Amino acid sequence: YDPYLSVDSAWHLTRFAEKATSFDDLLAQSDYITIHVPALPSTIGMFNSEAFAKMKKGARLLNFSRDTLVDTTDIQAALEDGTVSCYVTDFATADLLNNDKVICMPHLGASTEEAEDNCARMAVVELMDYIDNGNIVNSVNYPACQAGVCPEGMFRIAVLYNSSDLAMGSVIEVLEPIVAEFDMVDNQRDEHGYALITLTENLADEVLERIAELDGAYLVRRVK
């Protein structure tokens, strides 16, 4: 069951897969239920006494997403009355560890040998892309911002700034009298802003210094 399944994604499903028309239908028909959702206000506690009452008797529930998706008290009650015959999770609590109908395992699903290798490769590729092109991808606490590969013969600067204090219009005012043509990609996350500006000509150091001196500017970097 996926409320956001697109037509294109559906074409990639095996022909043996059958989409449930609603969450309630999923609960009523399934022998095994696995959870694959983030913890959001709309999903926290989604598996509670009300949901368990709609389940097929003896169903098995697997949760490797987030612990808060399943109400701990209600799952124990459902296990006790047989509504759920087995609960498998990698979010262990003292109560769950002492329940014979619960299989708890370490929260290490992302730590396979292949995943660790892929993460290392991805980190290197993304760092190289930041150094060479200024692009930020998959940052934990900074806005994602991508302008692609800087074209041959073009130049690029990166502006890191406080979005509450610095409007990019101030940066444009500095550039317009100097540069004939430029393209800017800008993004904000919380109070942090990041802009990549691709230009037709290289900027002198004093121009970069003028931008860096604007209120709210953290750092101005010449990417290329």
Side-chain angles (χ1 to χ4, degrees):
Y1 168 71
D2 183 351
Y4 306 109
L5 182 68
S6 68
V7 174
D8 288 340
S9 296
W11 278 111
H12 296 290
L13 293 175
T14 170
R15 63 187 178 92
F16 299 107
E18 181 178 338
K19 184 178 183 293
T21 56
S22 70
F23 184 56
D24 288 352
D25 286 343
L26 170 78
L27 297 177
Q29 297 180 43
S30 299
D31 295 303
Y32 289 83
I33 299 173
T34 66
I35 310 172
H36 306 276
V37 299
L40 303 172
S42 59
T43 61
I44 292 175
M46 64 186 295
F47 282 89
N48 52 22
S49 57
E50 183 179 344
F52 293 135
K54 299 173 183 177
M55 270 191 182
K56 186 176 182 179
K57 190 76 171 180
R60 292 163 175 81
L61 181 64
L62 292 78
N63 176 24
F64 306 113
S65 294
R66 291 291 181 265
D67 57 339
T68 54
L69 304 175
V70 178
D71 186 284
T72 303
T73 301
D74 292 350
I75 183 61
Q76 291 183 87
L79 289 165
E80 185 175 345
D81 66 20
T83 300
V84 178
S85 62
C86 182
Y87 178 46
V88 185
T89 183
D90 54 0
F91 298 100
T93 64
D95 293 336
L96 294 177
L97 285 171
N98 294 324
N99 194 316
D100 292 338
K101 295 183 178 179
V102 177
I103 299 175
C104 289
M105 57 188 66
H107 188 63
L108 297 172
S111 298
T112 64
E113 182 178 347
E114 295 85 355
E116 294 295 334
D117 185 57
N118 288 336
C119 285
R121 292 173 182 272
M122 182 178 70
V124 172
V125 169
E126 291 179 3
L127 183 58
M128 289 173 62
D129 193 25
Y130 172 75
I131 294 172
D132 294 340
N133 301 296
N135 297 318
I136 293 180
V137 184
N138 297 326
S139 173
V140 174
N141 53 16
Y142 220 71
C145 189
Q146 299 181 68
V149 175
C150 188
E152 194 67 32
M154 300 287 281
F155 303 89
R156 181 174 292 171
I157 64 171
V159 181
L160 295 77
Y161 65 96
N162 186 306
S163 57
S164 300
D165 298 330
L166 176 63
M168 292 313 294
S170 300
V171 177
I172 294 174
E173 288 178 2
V174 174
L175 296 176
E176 282 186 331
I178 303 169
V179 184
E181 185 178 348
F182 61 88
D183 182 59
M184 181 169 65
V185 179
D186 179 34
N187 200 7
Q188 293 88 36
R189 181 173 179 181
D190 299 326
E191 76 276 16
H192 302 303
Y194 186 73
L196 288 173
I197 306 172
T198 305
L199 313 104
T200 54
E201 56 190 270
N202 201 3
L203 295 178
D205 290 344
E206 54 265 28
V207 178
L208 299 184
E209 291 171 3
R210 285 175 57 192
I211 298 174
E213 290 171 356
L214 293 171
D215 289 339
Y218 296 147
L219 175 70
V220 178
R221 179 172 81 91
R222 179 182 279 108
V223 178
K224 182 179 179 182

